[in-house]
Amino acid sequence: AQSVTQLGSHVSVSEGALVLLRCNYSSSVPPYLFWYVQYPNQGLQLLLKYTTGATLVKGINGFEAEFKKSETSFHLTKPSAHMSDAAEYFCAVSFRSGGSYIPTFGRGTSLIVHP
Amino acid sequence: DADVTQTPRNRITKTGKRIMLECSQTKGHDRMYWYRQDPGLGLRLIYYSFDVKDINKGEISDGYSVSRQAQAKFSLSLESAIPNQTALYFCATSDLSGPHNEQFFGPGTRLTVL
């Protein structure tokens, strides 16, 4: 079965430190990959996405992610965390189901940023 | 004005009551989705619709029904609410043109069933 796994329900970093949020997927065909962010009391908004082409994808707010087919991973990184990055982050994958692509979300990772 | 709106934003109800959550969008998208979010479980798909005449069950459709009244409106109903339907509910839309298109989410409806 196709699935999306986010390692770590909570990740805690100090302001200025590297942010690394992990996402792995299982799929027999190349998927379409997304990272969304959810700030408190808000809906989700797109951070970045991978469809085809360059495997290193840059998104908003200094985030980027690299698609590694051999590792079936799409980890999200940011060189230097800011307090405003504290939020819930979701990895999502569009898997083909029948004749359509249906998005599937990971369980989310809560990013905590300490001063 | 927001592109995807949900009403109500908060609702407290009792077990056995019928509840309707509404979603409207001004993005002109054909695809609409209903998700529920529970702590530690992420977003789980309840129903999705590719156009007015196309409604599909998601992974957790039991206890829910939907209505696509128009391209812009997609309602979720709980015919007889139960406490384990207490959750945050999100409506989302996407363009029909391809699987690479991202989803646009409403602000959510927080539902509490007592």
Side-chain angles (χ1 to χ4, degrees), chain A residues 33-53:
Chain A
L33 302 158
F34 306 82
W35 274 100
Y36 289 86
V37 60
Q38 181 184 28
Y39 297 106
N41 300 313
Q42 295 185 26
L44 282 70
Q45 57 183 277
L46 183 72
L47 264 181
L48 49 80
K49 65 179 180 183
Y50 169 79
T51 55
T52 59

CSV table of all heavy atoms in Angstrom, one decimal, chain A residues 33-53:
chain,number,residue,atom,x,y,z
A,33,LEU,N,5.1,15.3,-4.9
A,33,LEU,CA,5.4,15.5,-3.5
A,33,LEU,C,5.2,17.0,-3.0
A,33,LEU,O,5.6,17.9,-3.8
A,33,LEU,CB,6.9,15.1,-3.2
A,33,LEU,CG,7.2,13.7,-3.6
A,33,LEU,CD1,8.7,13.5,-3.8
A,33,LEU,CD2,6.8,12.7,-2.5
A,34,PHE,N,4.7,17.1,-1.8
A,34,PHE,CA,4.4,18.5,-1.3
A,34,PHE,C,4.8,18.6,0.1
A,34,PHE,O,4.7,17.6,0.9
A,34,PHE,CB,2.9,18.8,-1.4
A,34,PHE,CG,2.3,18.5,-2.8
A,34,PHE,CD1,1.9,17.3,-3.2
A,34,PHE,CD2,2.1,19.6,-3.7
A,34,PHE,CE1,1.4,17.1,-4.5
A,34,PHE,CE2,1.5,19.4,-4.9
A,34,PHE,CZ,1.2,18.2,-5.3
A,35,TRP,N,5.1,19.8,0.6
A,35,TRP,CA,5.2,20.1,2.0
A,35,TRP,C,4.2,21.3,2.2
A,35,TRP,O,4.2,22.3,1.5
A,35,TRP,CB,6.6,20.6,2.4
A,35,TRP,CG,7.5,19.4,2.8
A,35,TRP,CD1,8.4,18.8,2.0
A,35,TRP,CD2,7.5,18.7,4.0
A,35,TRP,NE1,9.1,17.8,2.7
A,35,TRP,CE2,8.5,17.8,3.9
A,35,TRP,CE3,6.8,18.9,5.2
A,35,TRP,CZ2,8.8,16.9,5.0
A,35,TRP,CZ3,7.1,18.0,6.3
A,35,TRP,CH2,8.1,17.1,6.2
A,36,TYR,N,3.4,21.2,3.2
A,36,TYR,CA,2.5,22.2,3.7
A,36,TYR,C,2.8,22.6,5.1
A,36,TYR,O,3.3,21.8,5.9
A,36,TYR,CB,1.0,21.7,3.7
A,36,TYR,CG,0.4,21.5,2.3
A,36,TYR,CD1,0.6,20.3,1.6
A,36,TYR,CD2,-0.3,22.5,1.7
A,36,TYR,CE1,0.1,20.1,0.4
A,36,TYR,CE2,-0.9,22.3,0.4
A,36,TYR,CZ,-0.7,21.1,-0.2
A,36,TYR,OH,-1.2,20.8,-1.5
A,37,VAL,N,2.5,23.9,5.4
A,37,VAL,CA,2.7,24.4,6.8
A,37,VAL,C,1.3,24.8,7.3
A,37,VAL,O,0.5,25.4,6.6
A,37,VAL,CB,3.7,25.5,6.8
A,37,VAL,CG1,3.3,26.7,6.0
A,37,VAL,CG2,4.0,26.0,8.3
A,38,GLN,N,1.1,24.6,8.6
A,38,GLN,CA,-0.1,25.0,9.3
A,38,GLN,C,0.3,25.8,10.5
A,38,GLN,O,0.8,25.3,11.5
A,38,GLN,CB,-1.0,23.8,9.7
A,38,GLN,CG,-2.3,24.2,10.4
A,38,GLN,CD,-3.0,23.0,10.8
A,38,GLN,OE1,-2.5,21.9,11.2
A,38,GLN,NE2,-4.4,23.1,10.9
A,39,TYR,N,0.0,27.1,10.5
A,39,TYR,CA,0.2,28.0,11.6
A,39,TYR,C,-1.0,27.8,12.6
A,39,TYR,O,-2.1,27.5,12.1
A,39,TYR,CB,0.5,29.4,11.2
A,39,TYR,CG,1.7,29.6,10.3
A,39,TYR,CD1,1.6,29.8,9.0
A,39,TYR,CD2,3.0,29.5,10.9
A,39,TYR,CE1,2.7,29.9,8.2
A,39,TYR,CE2,4.1,29.6,10.1
A,39,TYR,CZ,4.0,29.8,8.8
A,39,TYR,OH,5.1,29.9,8.0
A,40,PRO,N,-0.8,28.1,13.8
A,40,PRO,CA,-1.9,28.0,14.8
A,40,PRO,C,-3.2,28.6,14.3
A,40,PRO,O,-3.2,29.8,13.9
A,40,PRO,CB,-1.3,28.6,16.0
A,40,PRO,CG,0.2,28.5,15.9
A,40,PRO,CD,0.5,28.6,14.5
A,41,ASN,N,-4.3,27.9,14.5
A,41,ASN,CA,-5.6,28.4,14.1
A,41,ASN,C,-5.8,28.8,12.7
A,41,ASN,O,-6.6,29.6,12.4
A,41,ASN,CB,-6.0,29.5,15.0
A,41,ASN,CG,-6.0,29.2,16.5
A,41,ASN,OD1,-6.5,28.1,16.9
A,41,ASN,ND2,-5.3,30.0,17.3
A,42,GLN,N,-5.0,28.2,11.8
A,42,GLN,CA,-5.1,28.4,10.4
A,42,GLN,C,-5.2,27.1,9.6
A,42,GLN,O,-4.9,26.0,10.1
A,42,GLN,CB,-3.9,29.2,9.9
A,42,GLN,CG,-3.9,30.6,10.5
A,42,GLN,CD,-2.7,31.4,9.8
A,42,GLN,OE1,-2.3,31.2,8.7
A,42,GLN,NE2,-2.2,32.4,10.6
A,43,GLY,N,-5.6,27.3,8.3
A,43,GLY,CA,-5.6,26.1,7.4
A,43,GLY,C,-4.2,25.9,6.9
A,43,GLY,O,-3.2,26.6,7.3
A,44,LEU,N,-4.0,24.9,6.1
A,44,LEU,CA,-2.7,24.5,5.6
A,44,LEU,C,-2.4,25.4,4.3
A,44,LEU,O,-3.3,25.8,3.6
A,44,LEU,CB,-2.6,23.1,5.1
A,44,LEU,CG,-2.5,22.0,6.2
A,44,LEU,CD1,-3.7,21.9,7.0
A,44,LEU,CD2,-2.1,20.7,5.5
A,45,GLN,N,-1.1,25.7,4.2
A,45,GLN,CA,-0.7,26.5,3.0
A,45,GLN,C,0.6,25.8,2.4
A,45,GLN,O,1.4,25.3,3.2
A,45,GLN,CB,-0.5,27.9,3.3
A,45,GLN,CG,0.6,28.2,4.4
A,45,GLN,CD,0.7,29.7,4.6
A,45,GLN,OE1,1.4,30.4,3.9
A,45,GLN,NE2,0.0,30.2,5.6
A,46,LEU,N,0.7,25.9,1.1
A,46,LEU,CA,1.8,25.2,0.5
A,46,LEU,C,3.2,25.9,0.7
A,46,LEU,O,3.3,27.1,0.6
A,46,LEU,CB,1.6,25.2,-1.1
A,46,LEU,CG,2.6,24.5,-1.9
A,46,LEU,CD1,2.5,23.0,-1.7
A,46,LEU,CD2,2.5,24.8,-3.4
A,47,LEU,N,4.2,25.1,1.1
A,47,LEU,CA,5.5,25.5,1.3
A,47,LEU,C,6.3,25.4,0.0
A,47,LEU,O,7.0,26.2,-0.5
A,47,LEU,CB,6.2,24.7,2.4
A,47,LEU,CG,6.3,25.3,3.8
A,47,LEU,CD1,7.1,24.3,4.6
A,47,LEU,CD2,6.9,26.7,3.8
A,48,LEU,N,6.2,24.1,-0.6
A,48,LEU,CA,6.9,23.8,-1.8
A,48,LEU,C,6.4,22.5,-2.4
A,48,LEU,O,5.6,21.8,-1.7
A,48,LEU,CB,8.4,23.7,-1.6
A,48,LEU,CG,8.9,22.9,-0.4
A,48,LEU,CD1,8.9,21.4,-0.8
A,48,LEU,CD2,10.3,23.3,0.0
A,49,LYS,N,6.8,22.2,-3.6
A,49,LYS,CA,6.3,21.0,-4.2
A,49,LYS,C,7.4,20.5,-5.2
A,49,LYS,O,8.1,21.3,-5.8
A,49,LYS,CB,5.0,21.1,-4.9
A,49,LYS,CG,5.0,22.1,-6.1
A,49,LYS,CD,3.6,22.2,-6.7
A,49,LYS,CE,3.6,23.1,-7.9
A,49,LYS,NZ,2.2,23.3,-8.5
A,50,TYR,N,7.4,19.2,-5.4
A,50,TYR,CA,8.2,18.6,-6.4
A,50,TYR,C,7.3,17.8,-7.4
A,50,TYR,O,6.4,17.1,-7.0
A,50,TYR,CB,9.2,17.5,-5.9
A,50,TYR,CG,9.8,16.7,-6.9
A,50,TYR,CD1,10.9,17.2,-7.7
A,50,TYR,CD2,9.4,15.4,-7.3
A,50,TYR,CE1,11.5,16.5,-8.7
A,50,TYR,CE2,9.9,14.7,-8.3
A,50,TYR,CZ,11.0,15.2,-9.0
A,50,TYR,OH,11.6,14.5,-10.0
A,51,THR,N,7.5,18.1,-8.7
A,51,THR,CA,6.7,17.4,-9.7
A,51,THR,C,7.7,16.7,-10.6
A,51,THR,O,7.8,15.4,-10.6
A,51,THR,CB,5.8,18.4,-10.5
A,51,THR,OG1,6.6,19.4,-11.1
A,51,THR,CG2,4.8,19.0,-9.7
A,52,THR,N,8.5,17.3,-11.4
A,52,THR,CA,9.5,16.7,-12.3
A,52,THR,C,10.7,17.7,-12.3
A,52,THR,O,10.6,18.8,-11.9
A,52,THR,CB,9.0,16.4,-13.7
A,52,THR,OG1,8.6,17.7,-14.3
A,52,THR,CG2,7.8,15.5,-13.7
A,53,GLY,N,11.8,17.2,-12.9
A,53,GLY,CA,12.9,18.2,-13.1
A,53,GLY,C,13.9,18.2,-11.9
A,53,GLY,O,14.1,17.1,-11.3
